[in-house]
Amino acid sequence: MAQVLEFKLPDLGEGLTEAEIVRWLVEVGDVVAIDQPVVEVETAKAMVEVPCPYGGVVTARFGEEGTELPVGAPLLTVAVGAPEGMETSGPVTPGPSGARNGSAPSGSSSPSSSSGSSATEYSGGSGNVLVGYGTGAPAGRRRRIRPDRLDRTPALSGALTVEVPVPETPVSAAPVSEAPGVPVPAASSTAAPGSVAPVSDGPVPVVSPLVRRLARQHDIDLRRLAGSGPEGLILRADVDCAIRRAEETEAASTRTAEAAAAPTGASPAAASPAASAAPAAERIPLRGVRGAVADKLSRSRTEIPDATCWVDADATELMAVRAAMNAATGPSAGPKVSVLALLARICTAALARFPELNSTVDTEAREIVRLPGVHLGFAAQTERGLVVPVVRDAHTRNAESIGAEIARLTELARTGKLSPAQLTGGTFTLNNYGVFGVDGSTPIINHPEAAMLGVGRIMPKPWVHQGELAVRQVVQLSLTFDHRVCDGETAGGFLRYVADCVEQPAVLLRTL
């Protein structure tokens, strides 16, 4: 007999609570193998292909491409264990409750009734463990999922269906509830999304901070909304409906006012172009990479008392050294070394002299935490937005090794295949905004780091060299630092050392 198992969006790690469906890799009716990728999702940090821990026939998919799902929400259902060669005898369709007719005796638990059970009750389960699901050791400590996120999943239950082989009667497959036996609220007792409720003086039934923030941004009074969630819980869908209704009301009021202001003798046909002349503003959701960047930069500006200092440096000698490195032949030849790799190596040498800038601030303990190793982040602009891959243990690498790692991570960033682990854990960031053709900038610190070095474009400029005016390759360097971890003397010393190494690369020989 076929057993229908539900696969939920797993915990993708790094504190991520949701993901957006970018592309389905399977269709309803497809046969999938254990650990076969079934969907490509985009988190706030990376694009991830999610493998399914079950093998069988896909019976339902939850959510279309572009839909945002919380961790723990159903992704798809898979019928496993059906005898081969059996003719189709009935459709598999989502039912109103978590039980499956004919799939288990009354009172038995569903395959996903407890954490991790869906992966262990089926003997053919995955042996490849992704964070948050799979087989093997008992599940570790899991984050608590916000109720409002899970309550959004029924809205996605308009899943596709497929017929699967069954021996006798049709099997009814529905999204499995987190706790079997808990009654599902009847449709008649749930308010329509965004409906108006009488104003109450009691607490507003909202769990999600995101819902509160969305309502606050659009001046929506949550006390006037009737929630469509369990026990009147206000969900994001309710706020979205209220926003749309407010926009429609405002647009109707605008049209009425324009019609009243039009000349009496004007015909409706003459007034119509004036009413539609002003185009509507485009609204772009802040989510995915752009949303994560917005949150991090806003937090940096809010929490960190930053200051910036800058200096112009003559990079002529550095460019000559790089050209000599890349032109070497014979035993001394090697991979090409980029300017960014040389600047990264200079940064690690400078951080060894000024470790105050390789630190972070523990605001709760009111302590400065100096970090033992340098994990160097570098800003990279991609089609999906700005990302900051991290070169691990940069203080142990030479310029050639750093350059090779930067090239590898840049390629992964370009194709959208960076993992969350490759985008987190940095202790200092190098930002080469010179590639955009600009000279200077005041970088925003990558929270929770303590400093960021910005590098402008290297270009020929008039410069006094050895007492004479000459055309030299000049670059502007800027350092933004957290004033809590050090004073201007330390920051100035760091920046001056970096500039000295740029102007006289032989200075680095002291640390080799």
Side-chain angles (χ1 to χ4, degrees), residues 285-297:
L286 272 176
R287 62 186 183 187
V289 174
R290 174 52 52 193
V293 169
D295 292 341
K296 176 159 282 195
L297 296 184

Side-chain angles (χ1 to χ4, degrees), residues 169-204:
T169 60
V171 180
S172 176
V176 183
S177 62
E178 284 295 313
V182 177
V184 179
S188 60
S189 65
T190 303
S195 59
V196 179
V199 178
S200 172
D201 295 331
V204 180

Side-chain angles (χ1 to χ4, degrees), residues 128-192:
N128 181 18
V129 179
L130 187 66
V131 177
Y133 72 101
T135 59
R141 182 179 177 182
R142 292 288 305 275
R143 274 184 301 101
R144 181 176 63 85
I145 305 301
R146 298 199 301 268
D148 72 306
R149 288 294 184 183
L150 292 179
D151 290 338
R152 285 167 50 192
T153 59
L156 305 175
S157 60
L160 302 174
T161 61
V162 67
E163 296 183 352
V164 296
V166 289
E168 297 177 357
T169 60
V171 180
S172 176
V176 183
S177 62
E178 284 295 313
V182 177
V184 179
S188 60
S189 65
T190 303

Side-chain angles (χ1 to χ4, degrees), residues 94-333:
S97 67
R100 292 173 174 78
N101 297 334
S103 63
S106 175
S108 63
S109 299
S110 65
S112 59
S113 62
S114 62
S115 175
S117 61
S118 60
T120 56
E121 290 183 10
Y122 172 50
S123 60
S126 167
N128 181 18
V129 179
L130 187 66
V131 177
Y133 72 101
T135 59
R141 182 179 177 182
R142 292 288 305 275
R143 274 184 301 101
R144 181 176 63 85
I145 305 301
R146 298 199 301 268
D148 72 306
R149 288 294 184 183
L150 292 179
D151 290 338
R152 285 167 50 192
T153 59
L156 305 175
S157 60
L160 302 174
T161 61
V162 67
E163 296 183 352
V164 296
V166 289
E168 297 177 357
T169 60
V171 180
S172 176
V176 183
S177 62
E178 284 295 313
V182 177
V184 179
S188 60
S189 65
T190 303
S195 59
V196 179
V199 178
S200 172
D201 295 331
V204 180
V206 179
V207 175
S208 170
L210 176 62
V211 173
R212 291 184 181 274
R213 183 174 63 182
L214 187 63
R216 184 168 58 252
Q217 290 173 346
H218 293 84
D219 297 326
I220 301 297
D221 187 358
L222 292 174
R223 296 181 182 276
R224 301 186 63 86
L225 289 185
S228 60
E231 300 181 0
L233 183 68
I234 296 177
L235 308 179
R236 180 170 181 171
D238 302 323
V239 177
D240 288 337
C241 290
I243 293 172
R244 286 195 297 270
R245 189 164 54 247
E247 291 174 349
E248 292 171 358
T249 302
E250 183 179 355
S253 301
T254 302
R255 289 193 296 269
T256 302
E258 291 177 350
T264 307
S267 64
S272 177
S276 59
E282 181 183 6
R283 292 183 175 271
I284 303 174
L286 272 176
R287 62 186 183 187
V289 174
R290 174 52 52 193
V293 169
D295 292 341
K296 176 159 282 195
L297 296 184
S298 298
R299 185 176 182 184
S300 177
R301 276 290 191 231
T302 302
E303 294 185 10
I304 299 178
D306 58 351
T308 302
C309 54
W310 57 89
V311 65
D312 290 340
D314 180 1
T316 305
E317 295 299 327
L318 181 69
M319 301 303 289
V321 167
R322 173 177 175 265
M325 288 180 178
N326 293 338
T329 59
S332 59

Side-chain angles (χ1 to χ4, degrees), residues 3 15 189 244 261 337 347 358 378-379 445:
Q3 182 182 16
S189 65
R244 286 195 297 270
V337 178
C347 282
N358 192 56
F378 63 96
I445 296 174

